[in-house]
Amino acid sequence: MKRSEVDRSKLSPMMAQYMEIKDSHPNELLFYRLGDFYELFFEDGITASKELELALTGRNAGLEERVPMCGVPHHAVKSYIERLVSKGYRVAVCEQLEDPRFTKGMVKRGVIDVISKGTVADFEFLDSYSNSYIASVLEFIDVFIVTILDISTGKLLSVSLERNETKLINLIEQYQIKEVIFKDFEEKELIDKLKNTYNIEVEYSFDSYDNIPNGLFEDITDVRVKLGVCHLYYYLVNVELKDLSGISEIKIINQNDYLQMDIHTIRNLELVETMRSKERQYSLLWLLDKCKTAMGSRKLKEWILNPLRNKDILISRYDKIEKLNNEFILKDELRTNLDDIYDIERLTGKVTNGSLNARDLLQLKKSLLVLPKIKDIIEKLGFNYNIDTFDSLTDLLEKAIDENAPISVKEGGMIKSGFNKELDELKEIKAGGKKFVASFEEKIKNETGIKNLKVGFNKVFGYYIEISKGQATFVKEEFGWDRKQTLTNCERFISPELKEKESLILNAEEKIIDLEYELFNDIKNKVKENILNIRNVAESISEIDVLASLSKVSEDNNYVRPELNDNHTIEIIGGRHPVVEIVSNDSYVDNDCIMDDKICTFLITGPNMSGKSTYMRQIAITVIMAQIGCYVPCKSAKLPIIDKIFTRIGASDDLVGGQSTFMVEMLEANNAILNATEDSLILFDELGRGTATYDGIALAQSILEYVNEHINCKTFFSTHYHEITSLDQKYKTIKNVHVDACEEDGKLVFLHKVKDGAIDKSYGIHVASLANMPDSLIKRANEILEQYESNKKNVKNDNVQLSFAFEEQKDDLLKKFIDGINPDQMTPIEALNTLYELKEKYKK
């Protein structure tokens, strides 16, 4: 049975109410609260039963047949919702808005929350190491305005981005945005790519929120930024019913302030996850993260993905790490205290999104109690962080919240005795009532002589006197008892005295629950008044935690303070790949990298597996570590400030996009060539290997020439094309280096040492033998190789010499001809004739 097929005039009042609410949320799975359960009906019930593996049953709704239904208990609903949301469904939560005890007729219900991929805010369903972002994208003539929000922490960002779809996807991937809201966006291909290739939830919102809190736009002058915030707010407040009152600041992200890396670079360098397993372990983040708080781990990830270009801030971070290294006793004390701090950022998020409970307040209290100690240590270290200790709020939480408080906020047990006089009186009545029941049972046993009677309680009948069938005949009329229930082997009675006390006890219990919930909300509002200051402290704590972590890692692994320069010089002595060094079973071979301002390119040769890729990666990772403010893995380092890093490392097909390894190579190389500046860093690993040999050589050489003639940025180019190593004679900006290896008893030994000069042998067959290929296959390969090398020696050099010089004159003539063409004024036949003419000119 479908919802659209129902005759609504025949529906029961409850189902009629459901239908009305569901009409407002047709695209969500509606969790409809009925007593202790949330129930889903019609198509929602069928979908949820399949996705959650629940039994599909039915409910009477006034129709001839039962409507499809499945349900989940209210105390476990969060896990079910999270499972549905993770599968891409949107969920609307419909609650009872009135207390059934005080309502005649149908209880009023309404949707209080809508949850989607980007708005999950509960701790247990979020990665503590990562922010959970939702974003709005607005199109303007030349830019995208991307407004990014983490509901769980209140972090609000705005990015102005060149109107380029690739850069937009890079940004969405970099921030791991889970849901994107568009407005009148017609780029269907991009939308499909986000949904199908990147698993991003896409929604639309056509309106803007017009009730932004005072002060949020206080320092914002760009109208487009304001429009982006209003667009995102409308979706979150009006569509998803979120409370965003705790957000007080927009952080404007100027990409020129940061070292820019596309998503391919982030993956190739394994900054936050490994390429093979997609796991955090063995990434740079894994190595550097010795943070004691979840906030610190998220902050460190943010730093790694957004290294700075501001030399003053970087030097300030180096200074703090140096201070922490010197004051190691204070550092250890600081880290011990940080270990006692819970995730304050997300606790404040729970205050505003309505999911806060008393145990969360206990975590907040324990975190606030540590702040005076941390403040004292920070002052001793001389760090410029302003840490409020929230003494009055801490005192309130200490006095109010019971250490054994339950998770639920509507069953009592949250508030300590002594906090509220009225509550204490009610608790005394309740406790006295229980004592009365015990003494009453003993009293009537003695008075009646019925020794096996007992006083019990259930929610249907309240308190009762239970007597076995055999003893029931001893109940006399003068007792004044009323029979309440007859069971198979016993009878239940109620006495006037017991009934009177029952009313007192039960009323006390209800009043306790109601009063505790009221007091809890008052305390929550007190916390809410301090939200902005708490978040500011959380921001400081997260940064302190990161610096302490970087200090710990630097000290443990013998990293050194880098020197930053403005003259494009890279001078790394004894450099190491920080992760490979830690996980390698062998002793790590360090390597130097000295590139003065006259050297643009290192052309790297050497056998496969010799360490060329590792050497290139460690240079880039050293730069990134230096530009997050961390010490670096080497004996000494002098580094320039890099503005962009581009990489092309490893072979990878884009199967979803239908692109081959070679096409991916060319697209990534083109991205670097078009966007790099003289302050950039490029890593090209065996570029051109995805096509035929001579094509590959030609492309590799032409790309190297272009980089050295037009860009002049620091470039590391590894290759097996030994033909292009002669380029150092043409370009003084190119230097040949190689990763050394030697043969011992016919076997290849990798030395992993980078030395000056080129190498003219690939050792490919030796590497194949290391892979335990059959001896006969290796022997035959050597025979074939000897034949090729013999033939090559017999060919005159001028026949095999490859020339890739730019044919400037030809290019100029063709350019002049093409510039004179106006396609808009051509007929189809004229265009075809012009194409033939162009082809003939090119041949000549």
Side-chain angles (χ1 to χ4, degrees):
M1 181 190 300
K2 294 183 179 179
R3 194 166 62 92
S4 59
E5 300 170 347
V6 170
D7 182 352
R8 298 197 179 194
S9 65
K10 296 179 180 180
L11 289 173
S12 64
M14 183 278 292
M15 190 54 67
Q17 183 191 57
Y18 165 83
M19 296 288 271
E20 185 179 346
I21 295 170
K22 177 63 182 174
D23 287 343
S24 300
H25 296 274
N27 301 319
E28 288 85 30
L29 297 178
L30 181 62
F31 277 64
Y32 186 76
R33 181 71 179 264
L34 284 170
D36 290 338
F37 282 81
Y38 288 93
E39 298 186 359
L40 299 96
F41 301 106
F42 297 104
E43 293 91 338
D44 286 3
I46 294 169
T47 299
S49 68
K50 290 178 181 177
E51 297 289 0
L52 300 174
E53 299 178 352
L54 299 172
L56 182 67
T57 60
R59 174 180 279 275
N60 292 323
L63 304 173
E64 292 182 5
E65 59 179 301
R66 288 153 62 90
V67 302
M69 182 271 286
C70 71
V72 299
H74 76 95
H75 58 81
V77 71
K78 289 182 180 179
S79 62
Y80 290 106
I81 291 175
E82 192 276 335
R83 284 168 60 188
L84 288 170
V85 170
S86 68
K87 294 183 177 188
Y89 293 99
R90 293 164 55 81
V91 170
V93 181
C94 177
E95 288 286 2
Q96 296 173 172
L97 304 180
E98 298 174 322
D99 191 326
R101 295 174 298 168
F102 310 117
T103 305
K104 292 183 180 180
M106 179 66 61
V107 174
K108 184 179 179 182
R109 293 180 176 85
V111 171
I112 63 160
D113 195 12
V114 176
I115 305 168
S116 55
K117 264 190 181 181
T119 56
V120 176
D122 274 299
F123 277 37
E124 54 195 299
F125 306 125
L126 291 173
D127 173 10
S128 61
Y129 300 122
S130 305
N131 287 97
S132 179
Y133 286 122
I134 185 172
S136 151
V137 176
L138 291 185
E139 277 187 287
F140 294 92
I141 294 174
D142 56 343
V143 298
F144 290 124
I145 293 295
V146 187
T147 310
I148 305 170
L149 175 65
D150 180 354
I151 289 280
S152 70
T153 64
K155 189 185 294 286
L156 180 62
L157 314 172
S158 179
V159 185
S160 177
L161 190 69
E162 177 188 338
R163 188 165 166 171
N164 178 292
E165 289 184 9
T166 300
K167 291 186 177 181
L168 177 61
I169 291 174
N170 278 330
L171 184 76
I172 290 170
E173 280 282 279
Q174 180 179 342
Y175 280 92
Q176 296 180 318
I177 293 166
K178 297 177 181 177
E179 186 174 2
V180 180
I181 316 302
F182 288 109
K183 179 179 182 179
D184 297 329
F185 200 79
E186 298 178 356
E187 302 293 340
K188 185 177 183 301
E189 187 177 331
L190 173 63
I191 300 296
D192 290 342
K193 187 180 289 188
L194 289 174
K195 286 182 176 179
N196 302 323
T197 304
Y198 297 98
N199 195 29
I200 307 295
E201 193 72 18
V202 175
E203 295 292 338
Y204 294 90
S205 177
F206 305 103
D207 294 294
S208 291
Y209 192 67
D210 57 4
N211 194 23
I212 300 295
N214 292 330
L216 191 60
F217 292 150
E218 188 174 350
D219 299 320
I220 305 301
T221 55
D222 191 333
V223 174
R224 299 171 302 180
V225 171
K226 297 179 182 180
L227 290 173
V229 173
C230 291
H231 179 243
L232 182 60
Y233 263 57
Y234 183 88
Y235 177 79
L236 292 173
V237 176
N238 288 45
V239 179
E240 296 217 337
L241 310 177
K242 305 302 182 193
D243 179 359
L244 304 182
S245 60
I247 299 171
S248 64
E249 180 185 13
I250 307 168
K251 184 176 181 182
I252 306 297
I253 303 296
N254 183 344
Q255 293 198 301
N256 292 328
D257 293 339
Y258 301 95
L259 190 166
Q260 295 177 36
M261 302 175 287
D262 61 21
I263 194 62
H264 304 294
T265 297
I266 291 167
R267 288 173 179 163
N268 286 335
L269 296 178
E270 299 185 311
L271 298 184
V272 296
E273 65 180 22
T274 58
M275 293 181 69
R276 183 182 296 272
S277 65
K278 307 298 182 187
E279 297 290 336
R280 187 174 185 271
Q281 189 174 21
Y282 304 134
S283 67
L284 179 63
L285 176 61
W286 165 79
L287 175 73
L288 298 182
D289 189 3
K290 298 297 181 285
C291 294
K292 294 295 186 178
T293 70
M295 301 177 296
S297 293
R298 291 195 296 272
K299 175 66 71 176
L300 176 59
K301 183 176 181 179
E302 181 186 319
W303 282 12
I304 290 173
L305 292 175
N306 298 279
L308 292 173
R309 292 172 60 190
N310 186 311
K311 189 187 291 187
D312 292 336
I313 296 177
L314 293 175
I315 290 172
S316 173
R317 290 179 184 176
Y318 300 153
D319 290 342
K320 290 183 175 74
I321 291 174
E322 183 174 356
K323 185 72 171 178
L324 287 164
N325 287 348
N326 293 335
E327 300 285 353
F328 55 88
I329 295 176
L330 284 176
K331 178 177 70 178
D332 290 344
E333 188 180 341
L334 175 63
R335 285 171 52 79
T336 299
N337 284 304
L338 287 169
D339 207 16
D340 291 330
I341 290 188
Y342 290 84
D343 196 340
I344 303 174
E345 275 188 330
R346 285 188 169 158
L347 284 172
T348 60
K350 295 187 79 170
V351 173
T352 56
N353 67 33
S355 61
L356 189 80
N357 60 44
R359 291 189 186 178
D360 296 327
L361 289 180
L362 287 174
Q363 291 186 358
L364 180 61
K365 181 195 75 174
K366 290 173 183 176
S367 302
L368 298 182
L369 282 170
V370 186
L371 293 182
K373 298 176 185 177
I374 292 176
K375 181 176 183 178
D376 182 55
I377 296 169
I378 293 305
E379 287 176 351
K380 288 178 181 177
L381 290 167
F383 292 174
N384 55 337
Y385 295 101
N386 182 23
I387 297 179
D388 191 337
T389 54
F390 304 100
D391 298 335
S392 60
L393 181 58
T394 306
D395 185 56
L396 171 64
L397 296 175
E398 178 66 35
K399 289 178 179 177
I401 306 300
D402 193 287
E403 294 296 331
N404 299 309
I407 293 177
S408 171
V409 296
K410 291 189 176 180
E411 62 181 50
M414 297 183 291
I415 306 299
K416 281 182 177 180
S417 296
F419 179 72
N420 180 275
K421 184 177 179 181
E422 182 184 354
L423 180 62
D424 290 344
E425 291 174 354
L426 289 169
K427 286 181 178 179
E428 285 181 15
I429 293 172
K430 179 181 175 182
K434 289 184 176 179
K435 291 176 183 176
F436 163 80
V437 169
S439 62
F440 178 75
E441 182 178 293
E442 191 63 30
K443 171 188 168 188
I444 59 174
K445 280 182 181 179
N446 294 330
E447 289 178 351
T448 62
I450 305 172
K451 299 302 181 184
N452 71 345
L453 69 76
K454 63 180 182 180
V455 177
F457 173 83
N458 67 33
K459 290 185 178 180
V460 177
F461 295 108
Y463 285 99
Y464 54 79
I465 302 165
E466 184 175 286
I467 301 175
S468 67
K469 287 281 190 184
Q471 297 282 303
T473 54
F474 295 110
V475 178
K476 298 177 181 179
E477 189 174 340
E478 63 257 28
F479 291 172
W481 294 0
D482 293 327
R483 191 185 303 272
K484 292 291 292 183
Q485 190 179 19
T486 299
L487 301 177
T488 304
N489 55 5
C490 67
E491 298 282 351
R492 289 177 175 174
F493 301 87
I494 184 73
S495 75
E497 187 179 4
L498 186 59
K499 195 67 179 174
E500 180 185 346
K501 206 67 177 178
E502 174 191 86
S503 177
L504 192 65
I505 295 168
L506 295 183
N507 283 339
E509 287 185 357
E510 288 182 359
K511 287 179 179 178
I512 287 170
I513 291 172
D514 292 342
L515 182 55
E516 285 211 13
Y517 183 64
E518 183 183 325
L519 293 170
F520 170 79
N521 282 326
D522 289 342
I523 296 165
K524 183 174 73 172
N525 288 332
K526 287 288 184 184
V527 175
K528 197 170 183 179
E529 291 173 9
N530 289 274
I531 284 289
L532 304 182
N533 290 334
I534 293 174
R535 282 183 172 158
N536 289 336
V537 169
E539 179 74 13
S540 297
I541 292 294
S542 65
E543 188 167 319
I544 291 165
D545 194 14
V546 172
L547 291 169
S549 175
L550 297 181
S551 169
K552 167 97 175 135
V553 174
S554 299
E555 198 170 39
D556 290 348
N557 299 306
N558 298 313
Y559 297 165
V560 299
R561 176 172 179 154
E563 294 180 33
L564 302 177
N565 62 66
D566 299 314
N567 56 12
H568 292 85
T569 296
I570 294 178
E571 185 182 301
I572 300 171
I573 306 300
R576 314 180 308 269
H577 190 297
V579 179
V580 176
E581 177 188 26
I582 294 297
V583 302
S584 176
N585 294 323
D586 303 321
S587 58
Y588 192 88
V589 178
D590 61 33
N591 278 296
D592 300 344
C593 175
I594 302 176
M595 300 177 79
D596 60 27
D597 58 351
K598 298 180 179 62
I599 297 295
C600 166
T601 300
F602 265 17
L603 186 52
I604 310 169
T605 49
N608 286 317
M609 294 176 57
S610 62
K612 299 190 300 295
S613 297
T614 300
Y615 176 69
M616 295 167 68
R617 282 188 172 100
Q618 78 185 37
I619 302 301
I621 288 175
T622 299
V623 166
I624 289 168
M625 289 175 67
Q627 289 186 223
I628 68 172
C630 182
Y631 280 22
V632 294
C634 56
K635 295 173 183 174
S636 68
K638 296 178 181 177
L639 300 167
I641 297 290
I642 299 296
D643 66 349
K644 302 172 186 176
I645 297 180
F646 301 94
T647 65
R648 173 57 214 168
I649 300 175
S652 59
D653 292 349
D654 179 4
L655 298 178
V656 176
Q659 294 172 339
S660 67
T661 297
F662 182 63
M663 177 57 81
V664 172
E665 275 191 357
M666 292 301 100
L667 289 172
E668 293 182 13
N670 186 54
N671 180 45
I673 288 168
L674 290 179
N675 294 293
T677 72
E678 64 176 354
D679 294 323
S680 300
L681 173 64
I682 294 177
L683 310 182
F684 283 156
D685 187 17
E686 299 183 30
L687 195 67
R689 63 182 167 183
T691 187
T693 302
Y694 287 128
D695 280 355
I697 296 172
L699 283 165
Q701 180 166 331
S702 60
I703 287 171
L704 267 175
E705 291 180 349
Y706 187 90
V707 168
N708 281 270
E709 289 184 3
H710 299 283
I711 304 176
N712 293 311
C713 65
K714 298 299 183 188
T715 303
F716 292 80
F717 195 110
S718 73
T719 186
H720 284 293
Y721 298 139
H722 303 294
E723 293 85 350
I724 64 175
T725 55
S726 61
L727 280 175
D728 66 336
Q729 297 172 22
K730 179 179 179 182
Y731 296 97
K732 300 304 179 185
T733 54
I734 294 179
K735 178 179 179 180
N736 279 306
V737 298
H738 69 277
V739 185
D740 207 12
C742 66
E743 293 183 55
E744 293 182 2
D745 300 325
K747 294 184 178 180
L748 183 63
V749 178
F750 299 117
L751 302 178
H752 303 297
K753 198 69 179 175
V754 177
K755 296 183 177 180
D756 290 347
I759 197 170
D760 61 359
K761 192 171 182 180
S762 292
Y763 298 102
I765 296 175
H766 289 81
V767 174
S769 68
L770 291 176
N772 293 320
M773 283 194 170
D775 291 341
S776 59
L777 186 153
I778 298 297
K779 182 180 178 182
R780 176 58 181 153
N782 276 312
E783 291 172 356
I784 296 170
L785 178 63
E786 288 177 8
Q787 292 177 11
Y788 277 124
E789 289 181 339
S790 176
N791 291 337
K792 184 176 179 180
K793 290 175 183 176
N794 293 329
V795 178
K796 292 182 180 180
N797 285 338
D798 58 355
N799 289 335
V800 295
Q801 181 67 36
L802 296 171
S803 173
F804 301 108
F806 283 115
E807 300 180 48
E808 300 290 353
Q809 187 177 3
K810 181 200 291 185
D811 287 351
D812 289 344
L813 289 171
L814 288 172
K815 184 177 183 301
K816 186 175 180 180
F817 179 78
I818 292 170
D819 287 344
I821 298 172
N822 188 342
D824 293 333
Q825 296 179 356
M826 285 184 175
T827 65
I829 191 64
E830 288 173 341
L832 188 60
N833 289 334
T834 302
L835 182 60
Y836 279 119
E837 186 180 353
L838 178 62
K839 187 175 179 180
E840 289 303 314
K841 284 184 179 291
Y842 182 76
K843 285 181 180 179
K844 292 178 182 178

